[in-house]
Amino acid sequence: MKIKCSSIQTYLKVLIVIVISRVMSILGKPASSSTKTMTSSVLPKNLLALDLANRLSVNSDSINLASADFGKLVQSKPQAVFYPSSHQDIENLVKSSYSSTRPFSIAAKGRGHSVRGQAMAHNGVVIEMRSLMNCGNRINVSTTDLYVDVGGEQLWIDVLNATLEYGLTPKSWTDYLYLTVGGTLSNAGISGQTFLYGPQINNVYEMDVITGRGETVTCSKHKNSELFFGVMGGLGQFGIITRARIALQTAPQKVKWVRMLYNDFSVFTRDQEHLISIKNNENGLNHGMDYVEGSLMMDIQLSSLNNWRSSSFYSKRDYREIISLATKNDGKSNIIYCLEVAKYYDDLTVNTIDKELELLFNGLSYTPGFKFTKDVSYVDFLNRVRIGELELQKKGLWEVPHPWLNLFVPKSRISEFDSEVFHGILGKNRCSGPILVYPTYRNKWDERASAVIPDEEIFYSVGLLQSSGLNDWEYFEEQNKEILRFCDKVGIKFKQYLPHYETKSEWVNHFGAKWDLFQRRKTMFDPKRILSPGQRIFN
């Protein structure tokens, strides 16, 4: 790019000196002892040759925020942070890199809720997508066609609140709502509604995506479908989502939130599978459960029963009864399995909801006397994790390392996983966080999307959501590796959700039959491999 104005030339020269000075000072700082650090000494010289220089920041606070994520396991410093004021700003940034003889890498960051550096851009530019919040209203509801157009930077909690003003709601959720739309769609977006409506990526009609060529493309199942399905669960490899059109339905008002406890894993999973098998009627109305998840209670103490996923569910009396159940075997703690379900209702069904639940629970084999029920608002149920987050923030226990491991395990091997991992590896070691296990259906996922799942029709989502102190996160990392080694040794054909691998061969194995298509899409939409370097798939 030629600079014709001498004053601009002078400004850029000064700015380059400042940038180099700032980068050298950053690179000279030692990394925290609680993180792995990826360092670099290379500054992309073309980074500042932009009309967008005023939106690039090399401020140390900006750099440090973009160098870490929720996981607190990896630190990777970009050379600059970009604060767009429009999607055109992002388009121009990507075009600048793509047209350069020396492209710089770019990562789109929403809330930074990844755990292993997936939203980082080593030696490149991190786009703070939340900066687009200053662009005015980017949540627009269509009450006639039942959809909402949403900016990729928007939080799901804001989407929920905006759609509820019209008595509408998206269908499929994540457990935690303070995540961006673009972030969850880049992975899949799963929760206890997945068995019914599929992941969040199955409930999107259309998207605007900025490809690695710097082109804004509107895509859907029927228009530019190759890009549409590539981006769905594509880990940010093919484009940056700037708008998504999301399906809506009529919103309920209230929720019957129920937890039932089990001592026997086989009975627990049998009941889970029974509940998700209850079909909708021919009019599409749901006569089964609206949400089904499961979790484990291990090494039960009073402080661990109400974890951050659903704080304050149990009363103090409930505490005592559950601990009694867990320790009745010669005083030794056992694993207690918790089946967690929800049934939505409103003023029209308030008088029949209890009868509906009674019929749905008929034949279940939970431990007698250990069924707990709460009535909550729809918003409070969906936003249940937020309460626990705020409590942990007050105690300084939220911004800690999170060595998470999320797996999809085939139904045929889930009992073995229970005996050898839950009772074996985890049972003989320490646990520090919620452990989720719940089933879903393969046929609720679109095979054309980039997201990969096990081959079996029913598979289980297993989430080991560990939190650690600053000096013991490696203990849990080794525990995770032991679990993965076990699965590989005995041939459990799992798939990682929110995947992280160190080598190309591991990524090839992860994508399996989709690998060739994944590579082809990368060549089509990001041929210079600019986007999402933190996933470490192609770099």
Side-chain angles (χ1 to χ4, degrees):
M1 172 181 172
K2 292 184 178 180
I3 305 297
K4 296 181 180 180
C5 178
S6 60
S7 62
I8 295 179
Q9 286 179 323
T10 302
Y11 167 76
L12 287 178
K13 287 179 182 178
V14 173
L15 188 56
I16 288 172
V17 172
I18 294 173
V19 170
I20 293 175
S21 175
R22 172 63 64 189
V23 169
M24 294 306 295
S25 68
I26 291 172
L27 294 174
K29 293 180 181 180
S32 167
S33 61
S34 66
T35 59
K36 298 177 182 178
T37 305
M38 295 181 284
T39 60
S40 171
S41 59
V42 181
L43 177 66
K45 294 181 180 178
N46 62 330
L47 188 59
L48 296 174
L50 301 171
D51 293 329
L52 304 169
N54 63 323
R55 303 202 178 282
L56 285 166
S57 173
V58 293
N59 176 276
S60 60
D61 290 338
S62 297
I63 293 291
N64 288 334
L65 284 173
S67 300
D69 59 18
F70 180 70
K72 299 289 188 294
L73 306 176
V74 173
Q75 187 178 60
S76 182
K77 293 185 180 295
Q79 301 305 300
V81 181
F82 186 64
Y83 295 89
S85 62
S86 67
H87 85 273
Q88 287 87 0
D89 284 350
I90 301 173
E91 186 180 272
N92 291 336
L93 178 74
V94 179
K95 279 181 180 178
S96 176
S97 179
Y98 179 73
S99 63
S100 171
T101 57
R102 190 185 181 193
F104 50 87
S105 60
I106 296 172
K109 174 177 172 283
R111 283 295 308 283
H113 208 261
S114 54
V115 295
R116 298 178 190 277
Q118 289 96 328
M120 298 178 192
H122 174 54
N123 197 41
V125 179
V126 170
I127 302 175
E128 280 289 352
M129 296 295 290
R130 294 287 289 161
S131 178
L132 292 174
M133 292 293 293
N134 299 319
C135 299
N137 180 34
R138 282 173 53 81
I139 303 178
N140 298 292
V141 177
S142 171
T143 58
T144 54
D145 296 316
L146 295 183
Y147 67 75
V148 57
D149 277 330
V150 182
E153 77 286 350
Q154 297 292 326
L155 300 182
W156 282 102
I157 182 63
D158 296 326
V159 177
L160 173 63
N161 290 331
T163 57
L164 284 176
E165 291 182 9
Y166 300 89
L168 300 171
T169 177
K171 301 174 181 179
S172 191
W173 297 95
T174 56
D175 285 334
Y176 180 58
L177 302 186
Y178 285 76
L179 305 173
T180 61
V181 169
T184 66
L185 296 183
S186 295
N187 289 284
I190 61 171
S191 184
Q193 302 90 359
T194 304
F195 79 94
L196 185 59
Y197 298 111
Q200 289 181 315
I201 56 175
N202 269 40
N203 297 276
V204 178
Y205 293 140
E206 180 181 280
M207 293 186 295
D208 287 341
V209 175
I210 299 174
T211 71
R213 298 175 184 270
E215 301 169 341
T216 297
V217 179
T218 298
C219 55
S220 68
K221 291 181 179 180
H222 308 293
K223 179 181 180 182
N224 298 311
S225 59
E226 190 81 22
L227 178 61
F228 180 79
F229 289 115
V231 170
M232 294 300 188
L235 308 177
Q237 292 301 308
F238 313 117
I240 298 170
I241 300 169
T242 58
R243 178 186 66 91
R245 178 167 291 179
I246 299 161
L248 300 178
Q249 65 181 4
T250 301
Q253 296 169 334
K254 299 281 286 182
V255 177
K256 285 283 186 179
W257 185 9
V258 185
R259 290 181 176 180
M260 295 164 278
L261 305 187
Y262 294 74
N263 277 318
D264 188 304
F265 185 75
S266 63
V267 177
F268 165 69
T269 54
R270 183 192 68 197
D271 283 0
Q272 280 189 317
E273 291 168 20
H274 167 70
L275 289 176
I276 70 169
S277 72
I278 300 172
K279 306 298 183 183
N280 297 347
N281 70 9
E282 60 184 11
N283 295 320
L285 298 176
N286 179 28
H287 282 256
M289 303 309 304
D290 292 291
Y291 162 98
V292 176
E293 282 196 3
S295 60
L296 275 61
M297 298 177 178
M298 303 183 68
D299 299 324
I300 293 179
Q301 299 174 351
L302 289 178
S303 61
S304 67
L305 291 178
N306 276 327
N307 60 57
W308 53 262
R309 282 191 64 255
S310 48
S311 182
S312 302
F313 184 92
Y314 299 107
S315 69
K316 291 183 178 180
R317 178 180 178 181
D318 296 337
Y319 283 157
R320 293 190 292 270
E321 293 177 353
I322 294 171
I323 291 175
S324 175
L325 175 66
T327 59
K328 69 179 183 180
N329 183 20
D330 298 326
K332 297 179 180 178
S333 293
N334 296 318
I335 295 177
I336 299 297
Y337 305 99
C338 175
L339 172 51
E340 182 177 32
V341 299
K343 182 69 178 171
Y344 303 156
Y345 68 101
D346 52 30
D347 291 340
L348 295 177
T349 55
V350 66
N351 295 322
T352 61
I353 182 65
D354 289 332
K355 183 63 176 179
E356 287 183 56
L357 283 176
E358 182 181 336
L359 293 173
L360 288 169
F361 294 159
N362 184 39
L364 298 187
S365 299
Y366 57 89
T367 303
F370 288 90
K371 177 165 71 73
F372 308 91
T373 303
K374 292 188 72 172
D375 274 279
V376 295
S377 72
Y378 180 63
V379 172
D380 286 346
F381 173 72
L382 291 182
N383 202 28
R384 59 198 177 278
V385 173
R386 180 65 168 175
I387 299 173
E389 175 195 359
L390 294 176
E391 290 179 356
L392 289 178
Q393 284 181 355
K394 290 178 182 178
K395 299 175 183 177
L397 299 176
W398 186 253
E399 296 296 331
V400 298
H402 296 94
W404 287 5
L405 179 64
N406 292 273
L407 303 175
F408 293 145
V409 179
K411 171 189 171 180
S412 64
R413 307 301 293 273
I414 194 65
S415 291
E416 184 178 2
F417 195 93
D418 170 63
S419 61
E420 300 299 326
V421 175
F422 295 152
H423 286 275
I425 296 173
L426 298 181
K428 68 183 180 183
N429 294 300
R430 287 186 288 132
C431 292
S432 179
I435 299 175
L436 309 183
V437 52
Y438 58 93
T440 189
Y441 287 114
R442 181 180 176 83
N443 64 15
K444 293 295 183 179
W445 295 65
D446 196 317
E447 182 63 26
R448 295 169 291 181
S450 292
V452 289
I453 55 179
D455 290 334
E456 294 185 13
E457 177 56 23
I458 295 178
F459 60 91
Y460 278 77
S461 175
V462 177
L464 308 178
L465 309 183
Q466 310 268 31
S467 299
S468 72
L470 294 177
N471 298 315
D472 66 347
W473 62 271
E474 289 179 314
Y475 172 89
F476 294 104
E477 277 286 84
E478 181 54 40
Q479 185 172 269
N480 290 337
K481 291 177 182 178
E482 185 179 357
I483 292 169
L484 296 178
R485 287 194 297 267
F486 163 75
C487 290
D488 287 335
K489 179 180 178 180
V490 301
I492 296 179
K493 296 182 179 180
F494 67 90
K495 294 295 182 182
Q496 280 195 36
Y497 181 63
L498 310 177
H500 168 74
Y501 297 102
E502 297 290 343
T503 66
K504 179 178 178 179
S505 62
E506 289 175 313
W507 281 112
V508 172
N509 181 65
H510 171 76
F511 284 105
K514 289 188 178 183
W515 173 250
D516 289 341
L517 176 60
F518 199 81
Q519 281 196 115
R520 180 166 62 84
R521 286 171 171 169
K522 185 69 170 178
T523 300
M524 289 176 63
F525 303 116
D526 185 22
K528 294 190 178 181
R529 301 181 179 183
I530 292 169
L531 302 176
S532 295
Q535 296 283 3
R536 301 177 63 83
I537 301 175
F538 295 101
N539 52 319

